[in-house]
Amino acid sequence: KYSTRATATGGRDGEARSEDGRFVARLSTPKELGGAGGEGTNPEQLFAAGYAACFLGALKFVASQQKVKLGDDVTVTAQVGIGKRDDGKGFGLDVALTASLPGIPRDQAEALIAQADVVCPYSHLAQHGLDVRLSVA
């Protein structure tokens, strides 16, 4: 249904830009990862923002399917951490999602969140992996 491209230059201390130019981000490596901690963002923050927005979209979708009205104050927060993997071969991500659904009973909110976790493509990626095609330009 939709596809886009983004290109990064300079790695964690560079820039990332979408193909249409509507998204441009200056990148900086956090001090915790050995960088200078500059004013730019980082891949973990970008992933957290994308996952939170996508999951909220999935939550709204499943709520609408069940005729549940969610208020404009519904939020999803994604906490993303990075660290060494247990296999010692590289790095991995850890994600915790927290959804706030004011006015929705807790049991109903938990059911909606569980259903959104099935619908959300970021959740599917996190639970089932992703086929990545590598190539050289």
Side-chain angles (χ1 to χ4, degrees), residues 19-106:
E19 67 182 340
D20 62 7
R22 292 191 295 187
F23 171 78
V24 178
R26 185 173 33 168
L27 304 172
S28 300
T29 303
K31 289 181 180 181
E32 297 85 348
L33 296 177
E39 294 180 14
T41 189
N42 60 65
E44 294 73 35
Q45 289 174 331
L46 295 171
F47 187 77
Y51 201 161
C54 190
F55 196 89
L56 181 52
L59 187 57
K60 287 181 173 184
F61 173 79
V62 298
S64 72
Q65 295 293 303
Q66 297 180 25
K67 309 284 191 256
V68 174
K69 175 80 169 109
L70 297 181
D72 292 337
D73 53 354
V74 171
T75 63
V76 173
T77 301
Q79 179 176 338
V80 175
I82 184 172
K84 291 186 178 181
R85 293 192 320 240
D86 291 339
D87 65 10
K89 295 181 180 180
F91 298 91
L93 298 177
D94 177 73
V95 178
L97 296 177
T98 303
S100 173
L101 290 82
I104 304 294
R106 184 174 195 84

